[in-house]
Amino acid sequence: MTETLEIKITKTQHSRLQETDFSNLPFGRNFSDHMFSADYIDGEWTNFEILPYGEIGLSPAISALHYGQAFFEGLKAYKHDDGQVSVFRPDKNAIRFNKSAERLCMPALPEEIFIQSIAAVVDIDREWIPAKPHHAMYIRPFMFATDPYLGVAPSKTYKYMVLIGPTGPYFSKTLRVKIETKYTRAAEGGMGYAKSAGNYGGSMLPAKKATEEGFDQLIWTDAKNHEYIEEMGAANVMFVLDGKLITPSTRDTILDGVTRDTVITLAREWGMTVEERRVSVAEIIEGAKNGKLQDAFGAGTAATIAPVGSISHNGEEYFLSDPKTREFSQRVLTELDAIKYGRVADVHGWNYMVS
Ligand code: PLP
Ligand code: COI
């Protein structure tokens, strides 16, 4: 399908744009005037619609609520200095969307529908995109099962929606992280690589306990022995150890992050050695002790590049250098911003222009 998607558009009678406080945009709290919706019925996607953001009516028996057939994506649109608007690497999210769909026994969504639905709703609400450093329009595409049926079986009907909203970064400070050695986010053969709703539901209790202990995020480790680092709660985790960029290789327990891939691509272009491999807790702690751990950060769409200030393991806290003095994460954040906000040439073709 390459033709333009036919979308029924109903515009809001009352824009909330003027009432929204653009000087305070915490992640995930503000939604723009419109949203996109489509239905999967009788084996095909239909009812493409942009309508005012608001409540939707659903049966309380839908299987998404009972059995978790639900997943999402997260990406961002940016306003360039000249007023143009771009979405960062939506083709990567489209591919991952369908990986999640497959794992959850849900229907694929053609990449063109994914990208055109996002472009259409971003275009309608382009005035909502904050023109401010480190701010963007967060885009949340998601799909969920809508059969009102209590048997444990894949639904026959689904809804695909896109919500968008202006946002600042997910984290507002340098992170104090804890390496989790009791709970598990994902096990081999499970669905860690999918952006399934259940992965996030299951992470909340351990994350809450860590917050009560004063930590900002968890670093998840392997389910078997908690010896290898996997990722953070809302981002992939990356380290600079002895001059090399090191990050856990993707596997079925780890989300294949778009930001992670982008950082790796830039680092390689800059001539840095990049190692995607199993990363042991022991080597990171050793590096933190002997000073070879020069940088550590979360990499994600919502998180952007989020510096880690200290890492705790088994009750010991190891402090890293002041993030402002870190060469790699500073450089990568600056370059990423320059690309996303259109200040340098987009030589990789990462910006999807919304015209
Ligand atoms: N890992 C998890 C668990 C996430 O929720 C996210 C956020 O999307 C990421 C990693 C980073 O992925 P991306 O860079 O594609 O946003
Ligand atoms: C994103 O970065 O888009 C995410 O999905 C993180 C979210 C769970 C807060």
Side-chain angles (χ1 to χ4, degrees):
M1 196 196 87
T2 46
E3 71 266 28
T4 311
L5 204 60
E6 279 207 24
I7 304 173
K8 178 182 169 205
I9 297 175
T10 310
K11 286 207 177 173
T12 182
Q13 296 298 307
H14 174 67
S15 172
R16 287 174 284 102
L17 184 60
Q18 301 309 325
E19 298 156 18
T20 303
D21 179 6
F22 275 71
S23 68
N24 177 28
L25 293 172
F27 175 83
R29 296 236 176 253
N30 291 288
F31 299 96
S32 71
D33 282 330
H34 299 94
M35 60 187 187
F36 179 92
S37 174
D39 296 306
Y40 185 81
I41 302 168
D42 294 335
E44 59 181 276
W45 287 103
T46 181
N47 299 341
F48 305 116
E49 192 177 358
I50 286 178
L51 64 165
Y53 168 82
E55 291 180 4
I56 52 172
L58 291 165
S59 156
I62 61 168
S63 43
L65 292 176
H66 298 266
Y67 307 122
Q69 254 198 318
F71 68 93
F72 65 95
E73 265 305 324
L75 58 167
K76 279 177 176 168
Y78 299 84
K79 186 164 276 175
H80 299 199
D81 296 337
D82 64 2
Q84 290 198 84
V85 170
S86 62
V87 179
F88 194 67
R89 305 190 76 181
D91 51 325
K92 294 281 283 180
N93 297 86
I95 292 167
R96 194 170 66 192
F97 197 76
N98 284 332
K99 281 192 189 157
S100 297
E102 185 190 24
R103 181 63 184 81
L104 287 156
C105 214
M106 293 164 72
L109 182 80
E111 182 174 328
E112 292 87 350
I113 299 182
F114 183 85
I115 291 178
Q116 288 190 37
S117 59
I118 288 169
V121 73
V122 166
D123 190 27
I124 282 206
D125 283 344
R126 58 167 64 221
E127 294 305 316
W128 282 81
I129 308 175
K132 226 173 141 182
H134 309 302
H135 285 64
M137 180 75 103
Y138 185 71
I139 304 166
R140 171 54 61 89
F142 59 110
M143 193 201 292
F144 58 96
T146 49
D147 276 6
Y149 170 57
L150 295 185
V152 181
S155 183
K156 291 189 173 59
T157 61
Y158 296 88
K159 203 172 254 306
Y160 162 66
M161 299 189 73
V162 183
L163 306 180
I164 62 176
T167 185
Y170 193 65
F171 300 116
S172 52
K173 60 182 168 82
T174 302
L175 303 176
R176 188 173 175 223
V177 303
K178 176 187 159 182
I179 296 181
E180 179 61 63
T181 51
K182 178 175 180 221
Y183 294 102
T184 296
R185 187 189 92 97
E188 270 160 45
M191 54 182 187
Y193 67 92
K195 263 181 104 69
S196 53
N199 283 344
Y200 296 81
S203 74
M204 287 182 193
L205 177 68
K208 178 168 174 268
K209 286 180 185 261
T211 308
E212 284 163 2
E213 293 170 49
F215 299 106
D216 304 306
Q217 276 280 292
L218 289 177
I219 290 187
W220 296 105
T221 50
D222 69 281
K224 274 194 192 125
N225 299 314
H226 301 291
E227 277 175 22
Y228 293 96
I229 287 178
E230 302 227 303
E231 62 180 320
M232 299 214 301
N236 291 108
V237 64
M238 310 186 95
F239 304 95
V240 178
L241 191 62
D242 211 7
K244 293 185 240 172
L245 181 67
I246 291 174
T247 192
S249 40
T250 51
R251 53 189 63 243
D252 58 4
T253 54
I254 296 180
L255 197 79
D256 186 359
V258 178
T259 318
R260 175 188 178 281
D261 179 79
T262 305
V263 171
I264 288 173
T265 303
L266 291 175
R268 289 208 168 111
E269 286 172 6
W270 295 340
M272 197 163 176
T273 302
V274 179
E275 293 182 357
E276 295 180 71
R277 58 168 173 80
R278 298 221 88 177
V279 177
S280 72
V281 172
E283 67 181 306
I284 294 304
I285 297 303
E286 183 57 28
K289 281 186 189 162
N290 67 20
K292 288 192 176 166
L293 183 63
Q294 295 146 329
D295 209 335
F297 56 92
T301 298
T304 67
I305 302 294
V308 168
S310 75
I311 302 177
S312 291
H313 183 235
N314 292 341
E316 286 287 330
E317 184 163 15
Y318 304 92
F319 291 89
L320 310 187
S321 62
D322 178 352
K324 288 195 274 308
T325 66
R326 296 187 202 164
E327 207 181 314
F328 183 75
S329 50
Q330 288 286 325
R331 181 176 178 193
V332 90
L333 179 60
T334 305
E335 181 66 13
L336 268 177
D337 278 353
I339 297 170
K340 292 170 172 174
Y341 294 98
R343 295 191 195 112
V344 293
D346 175 25
V347 295
H348 308 88
W350 285 336
N351 291 337
Y352 178 90
M353 304 310 296
V354 177
S355 50

